[in-house]
Amino acid sequence: MKCVLFYHAFTSCWNNGNAHFLRGYARELHALGHEVVVFEPIDGWSWLNAMREGGSHAMEDIPTLFAGIDIRRYDASLDLERALDGADLVIVHEWNPPDLIAQIGRRRAQGAPFTLLFHDTHHRAVSAPEELAQFDLDGFDGVLAFGEVLRQIYLKLGWADRAFTWHEAADVALYHPLPQVERADDLLWIGNWGDGERSAELNEFLVGPVAELKLRASLHGVRYSDDALLTIRSAGIRYGGWLPAHWAPLAFAGAHTTIHVPRGPYVRLLPGIPTIRVFEALACGIPLVSAPWSDAEGLFPDGAYLSVADGAQMTRALRSLRGDREMSAAMVNTGLETIRERHTCRHRAEQLVGIVADIRGSGLQSQSQHDIGAVA
């Protein structure tokens, strides 16, 4: 197939965790023998912010790391007819302008022969449904939802059997153990502070335990306010700023433990959807301790990571992992086995190929489409 993918950003992952998986499944589609073309805007906010933080050297690595992927940066003069010419599969990620989404949908509705899928990796369907309503999905053949709870929302909007659960996964070509690296840090956390929506959780599950245990800890991420920086530095945590995604495996390899602190909307409204960092940390062979979230879909077996209910339990868990190498090793082995058997980008690429075949084979592609704005 010729696969044409529209992303907000492929070359930049600044505040863009979606890029990790979007890159990975594109790589695996190419490895499966498909032609892959990625379109990203030349002035996307992720790319612009990465450049402001001196990230040009990091982004220069991307074409080499993803050899074979045709990356095309576009501006307002994008010729959609030319961009879509010869496409068999078109996927539009939800971090695209509504007018672009609508334009591509109209071409499909007017008879363009490709299969057209919308890829939703956001909590807006439950936290801000009015934002979902701005997307005109008339003409789309299906929706790829990054969790079953999100797929169920699309079912209620009338998408019947054309909404598919398609979880993120680890790009194991990049994320894998590096045993030769010395583990100098006790703990590493990679994540963004954001707009304060998880300040309480980060203080409880990260800052407090690190300070109490006097851990040697490092943190990477963006959108840290002056108050947030003061808080983490007062706990003795070193702040390393933005860490490009393809440099994260080396950072994981240099620490004994990492933690998962999901944002509130995912915990409250989207059970069963972890952050991409869970997949990546387990793929890198680092013990993981998680703040509360519900693995409603059974993605990970018992023993892949430790789950704690509050800051006190986090402190005890981190203390235990420091002193129990046997427990740490068992967690690493379970986590690695789980990723390799269930949750790699190759698994998701193969699933995607099957979804496309099902849509075409069932005749769903020829049915009249829904306008999600009207349904919502």
Side-chain angles (χ1 to χ4, degrees):
M1 293 188 296
K2 179 179 180 179
C3 307
V4 180
L5 316 175
F6 287 86
Y7 298 165
H8 164 69
F10 185 92
T11 51
S12 172
C13 64
W14 190 95
N15 197 39
N16 179 18
N18 296 126
H20 309 195
F21 175 61
L22 301 182
R23 291 169 173 175
Y25 90 76
R27 179 213 300 279
E28 294 301 335
L29 283 175
H30 178 261
L32 289 170
H34 303 288
E35 179 184 355
V36 181
V37 182
V38 174
F39 283 88
E40 64 173 0
I42 199 167
D43 58 352
W45 54 259
S46 179
W47 187 87
L48 291 175
N49 278 287
M51 293 297 290
R52 291 189 188 106
E53 291 204 15
S56 60
H57 59 298
M59 291 187 289
E60 288 171 357
D61 297 340
I62 302 304
T64 301
L65 290 172
F66 298 90
I69 307 299
D70 185 355
I71 306 168
R72 303 182 187 178
R73 304 184 65 221
Y74 69 88
D75 57 20
S77 65
L78 173 67
D79 183 341
L80 265 183
E81 293 295 338
R82 183 175 180 182
L84 297 170
D85 183 48
D88 299 295
L89 169 65
V90 178
I91 299 179
V92 185
H93 185 252
E94 47 94 8
W95 273 13
N96 275 287
D99 60 336
L100 177 66
I101 293 171
Q103 288 179 48
I104 297 173
R106 281 195 295 272
R107 280 165 172 75
R108 174 69 190 100
Q110 292 166 1
F114 50 76
T115 300
L116 178 59
L117 300 176
F118 181 70
H119 185 196
D120 193 341
T121 61
H122 200 272
H123 55 70
R124 77 180 84 224
V126 288
S127 63
E130 70 282 358
E131 292 185 19
L132 178 65
Q134 72 181 321
F135 296 130
D136 179 5
L137 300 187
D138 185 38
F140 279 70
D141 296 297
V143 171
L144 301 169
F146 78 144
E148 177 61 20
V149 64
L150 186 57
R151 187 183 78 91
Q152 290 297 325
I153 292 170
Y154 280 96
L155 297 187
K156 293 176 182 177
L157 293 175
W159 283 82
D161 51 358
R162 294 185 298 114
F164 305 88
T165 299
W166 198 48
H167 279 284
E168 295 180 315
D171 181 3
V172 295
L174 291 178
Y175 291 88
H176 52 79
L178 299 172
Q180 72 277 14
V181 176
E182 179 185 0
R183 297 187 183 272
D185 280 332
D186 296 312
L187 184 141
L188 169 75
W189 189 66
I190 306 174
N192 304 329
W193 194 273
D195 299 317
E197 71 275 10
R198 59 174 167 182
S199 299
E201 291 91 341
L202 289 171
N203 277 295
E204 179 178 4
F205 292 101
L206 171 64
V207 176
V210 167
E212 181 173 342
L213 296 173
K214 296 180 172 56
L215 299 179
R216 181 178 175 85
S218 294
L219 181 156
H220 292 275
V222 301
R223 299 174 65 203
Y224 279 74
S225 66
D226 290 341
D227 287 344
L229 291 173
L230 178 61
T231 296
I232 63 175
R233 285 169 176 159
S234 297
I237 300 172
R238 292 179 300 283
Y239 174 62
W242 174 48
L243 184 71
H246 56 288
W247 295 355
L250 183 61
F252 278 132
H256 287 281
T257 311
T258 190
I259 64 172
H260 174 226
V261 186
R263 286 182 168 83
Y266 291 97
V267 176
R268 297 188 301 271
L269 304 173
L270 292 177
I273 302 177
T275 70
I276 189 68
R277 293 297 184 189
V278 175
F279 297 109
E280 293 171 348
L282 298 183
C284 286
I286 182 172
L288 172 72
V289 186
S290 179
W293 76 285
S294 174
D295 185 10
E297 296 183 52
L299 297 177
F300 307 103
D302 291 342
Y305 63 89
L306 294 180
S307 181
V308 299
D310 53 35
Q313 287 189 12
M314 175 66 80
T315 301
R316 290 196 292 272
L318 293 175
R319 182 184 290 118
S320 295
L321 284 171
R322 290 179 73 186
D324 193 335
R325 293 188 177 183
E326 185 174 334
M327 179 174 66
S328 294
M331 288 173 58
V332 166
N333 289 336
T334 301
L336 283 171
E337 181 180 4
T338 301
I339 295 299
R340 291 167 178 170
E341 291 186 355
R342 308 183 193 176
H343 302 307
T344 69
C345 287
R346 174 59 67 92
H347 288 111
R348 303 301 188 258
E350 291 174 342
Q351 181 190 359
L352 175 61
V353 171
I355 287 171
V356 173
D358 288 345
I359 290 174
R360 292 175 175 173
S362 65
L364 291 173
Q365 186 162 328
S366 63
Q367 294 180 4
S368 61
Q369 307 301 315
H370 298 271
D371 183 337
I372 199 166
V375 175

